[in-house]
Amino acid sequence: MHLVHQTAFAIHLETDHVILHGSEDESAGVILRGSVVLDAVESTKVKSIVLKFQGKTKVNWTEGHGSHQRHYKEEQTIIEHEWSFMPHKRKAYHLTEGRYKWDFELPLPGDLPGTIQHDLGQVYYRLKAVAERPAFSPNYIAKRNLLLSRLMLPSSLELNQSVVISNEWTDKLSYNISVPRKVFSCNSPIPISFDLVPIASELTVRSISCSLKEYITLSTHEHSKSEGRVVKHTRDDHFSSAEDRWTTTEVLSVPSEHNVQSDLCSDLIKIKHKLKFTVSLMNADGHISELRAAIPIIIASLAPEEEANELPAYEDAWKSMPYDPALIASLIASGDLPASIALAVPNQAAASLDTTTSSGVSSSASSMDEDNVRGPQDPLPWQGFDLSRVPSYTTAIRSDRLYSFSGSLPPYESVVVPGTSY
């Protein structure tokens, strides 16, 4: 029995879980990096190799019954980009047996919505690579899903602001209800403090109920739909008989990420959360009164506080070393740094790597010249970013992004005025 090895075509990513640090207004974004790899076990013909990245949001729901039933559906593209590693041409490229690799990178803006899967809508990000082959030969196709999420930083204003409801129910009760902050993550406790002072005589507290409610709003160009559901509930029926003041702290735990969605804001899908309270009161004449209140909160993932002053990992220590073109080039050549950094390192280091990385191919391909292999010029690393938005220091050190974009800038010597000495 002989095993038949087939040509392998795949998309490799540095990580398939991309994390944006900070809020939509604060995050400086992150760079998506990876490579398309073709392992040819024999001489292969291809007409083109293209990689496409898309982020989409879509909604789909039905309202009404029978003849009055109506279907609503809409899809919207959030972000898209395409790379042409081998431009389409009439005559096929002949690839000899070997391994071919094309690196890619793309700046992702910091205001992208996170990935979400819901029965009525979703936000998703996908990569699809296609190696088109001549007639009667099946194309090579590779797909990869990307999970995108957001981490709130410990320095975020919402994490340091308590939320308080303070009011008076005329001739009955004055009350203060508070939570220590506005943002909570999955599986975390929410302490809710109650301070109730009766005004009416012989007023007693029967119970306090606390609920975490999730609201989702779906929109199309012609219609929108909102629905809410209780994701967590607690009730306390035990109170002292004191008549001058009642104070207590109820704890409501946020469910796991499988039972609650993070807050989201996109054109088609919006998800928000509220804490709702009901205080049931027994009046002197025996009838029941209820005090109802609500506090909006945010459910989001939080960056651990201990990371705020964390030293860089050993493998990232090169980022803080004095710049040495030869050292950077040797680190890339030895595999200690990814080859995609060649676009971001300064000119001398990038130039020394041209012979091994500029084509992005590790095996020779007959009947294709260098210009054809490279394809259209990729966008410069800083294109697609709002350069007027200066990220905080904490965001900058967590964004996993190389800021030395001088690989595509002219060297200092080329802009010095001739005949000028310094």
Side-chain angles (χ1 to χ4, degrees):
M1 181 178 179
H2 297 282
L3 294 177
V4 178
H5 296 283
Q6 296 181 341
T7 295
F9 188 58
I11 301 171
H12 298 298
L13 296 173
E14 283 190 352
T15 175
D16 55 7
H17 184 188
V18 173
I19 299 176
L20 298 173
H21 294 91
S23 65
E24 293 182 0
D25 295 327
E26 182 189 25
S27 177
V30 69
I31 291 190
L32 171 67
R33 290 190 179 95
S35 57
V36 175
V37 177
L38 175 66
D39 285 314
V41 297
E42 59 184 3
S43 180
T44 304
K45 291 183 179 181
V46 296
K47 299 187 73 174
S48 67
I49 295 183
V50 174
L51 173 67
K52 190 170 186 179
F53 171 70
Q54 277 192 329
K56 289 190 174 184
T57 175
K58 61 181 181 180
V59 293
N60 188 348
W61 79 92
T62 302
E63 293 184 11
H65 301 280
S67 59
H68 299 288
Q69 190 176 75
R70 189 166 182 184
H71 189 69
Y72 297 94
K73 181 179 181 181
E74 188 153 330
E75 183 176 296
Q76 200 173 83
T77 299
I78 305 169
I79 184 174
E80 63 180 352
H81 186 81
E82 185 172 306
W83 296 265
S84 180
F85 301 120
M86 298 179 68
H88 185 278
K89 69 176 187 177
R90 195 170 179 181
K91 186 177 180 181
Y93 299 92
H94 292 263
L95 305 182
T96 57
E97 179 182 348
R99 180 181 176 88
Y100 298 82
K101 180 181 177 183
W102 296 269
D103 291 336
F104 64 87
E105 60 180 32
L106 178 68
L108 300 180
D111 58 355
L112 289 176
T115 302
I116 181 175
Q117 293 291 335
H118 191 274
D119 293 339
L120 306 179
Q122 57 182 305
V123 176
Y124 63 89
Y125 300 89
R126 289 175 184 165
L127 285 157
K128 181 179 180 180
V130 177
E132 182 186 0
R133 303 186 66 204
F136 310 113
S137 298
N139 293 339
Y140 298 137
I141 298 175
K143 297 179 181 179
R144 192 77 180 262
N145 290 328
L146 187 71
L147 175 63
L148 190 145
S149 59
R150 183 179 301 279
L151 284 182
M152 300 289 287
L153 300 179
S155 59
S156 295
L157 184 63
E158 292 88 348
L159 289 176
N160 301 300
Q161 283 186 328
S162 60
V163 183
V164 180
I165 298 177
S166 182
N167 209 336
E168 181 177 307
W169 190 350
T170 306
D171 299 329
K172 194 175 292 288
L173 181 79
S174 64
Y175 60 89
N176 283 280
I177 305 174
S178 63
V179 291
R181 60 181 186 271
K182 195 173 181 180
V183 182
F184 297 90
S185 58
C186 294
N187 299 310
S188 68
I190 305 177
I192 308 162
S193 299
F194 292 85
D195 186 358
L196 311 173
V197 179
I199 298 175
S201 60
E202 300 183 29
L203 186 70
T204 57
V205 178
R206 294 178 67 246
S207 65
I208 291 181
S209 297
C210 305
S211 300
L212 173 60
K213 198 166 183 180
E214 182 177 272
Y215 298 88
I216 181 169
T217 301
L218 311 170
S219 303
T220 66
H221 65 282
E222 58 178 343
H223 186 64
S224 64
K225 173 186 178 177
S226 295
E227 62 177 36
R229 67 184 183 102
V230 175
V231 296
K232 193 71 175 182
H233 176 79
T234 185
R235 178 185 171 102
D236 188 352
D237 296 306
H238 305 287
F239 281 87
S240 66
S241 57
E243 298 182 357
D244 56 342
R245 188 174 206 145
W246 300 286
T247 59
T248 185
T249 298
E250 306 292 342
V251 178
L252 186 70
S253 295
V254 180
S256 68
E257 58 188 8
H258 301 294
N259 299 311
V260 65
Q261 303 280 0
S262 295
D263 277 51
L264 178 75
C265 185
S266 68
D267 290 340
L268 303 186
I269 305 175
K270 291 180 174 62
I271 297 178
K272 296 182 178 181
H273 298 84
K274 282 185 180 181
L275 287 174
K276 291 203 161 189
F277 320 107
T278 301
V279 180
S280 180
L281 304 168
M282 175 74 77
N283 293 274
D285 58 6
H287 80 270
I288 306 298
S289 299
E290 287 189 343
L291 167 66
R292 298 175 183 268
I295 293 177
I297 64 168
I298 297 172
I299 303 298
S301 299
L302 306 180
E305 292 186 21
E306 59 268 19
E307 288 184 4
N309 297 312
E310 190 180 57
L311 293 175
Y314 176 78
E315 61 269 17
D316 292 332
W318 64 272
K319 296 180 181 179
S320 57
M321 295 168 57
Y323 171 61
D324 182 349
L327 176 60
I328 298 295
S330 64
L331 288 173
I332 297 175
S334 64
D336 293 328
L337 294 180
S340 58
I341 291 178
L343 292 176
V345 298
N347 300 321
Q348 294 175 347
S352 66
L353 295 169
D354 266 352
T355 57
T356 58
T357 64
S358 63
S359 68
V361 184
S362 58
S363 297
S364 63
S366 61
S367 73
M368 57 177 163
D369 54 37
E370 184 179 2
D371 291 336
N372 282 338
V373 174
R374 291 185 182 181
Q377 183 177 359
D378 288 332
L380 297 176
W382 58 83
Q383 291 180 348
F385 286 102
D386 180 4
L387 297 182
S388 64
R389 179 189 297 176
V390 180
S392 67
Y393 174 76
T394 306
T395 301
I397 64 175
R398 294 179 182 213
S399 62
D400 192 26
R401 179 154 168 228
L402 292 173
Y403 286 92
S404 103
F405 289 141
S406 55
S408 54
L409 296 177
Y412 175 77
E413 293 80 7
S414 68
V415 295
V416 175
V417 179
T420 305
S421 60
Y422 295 92

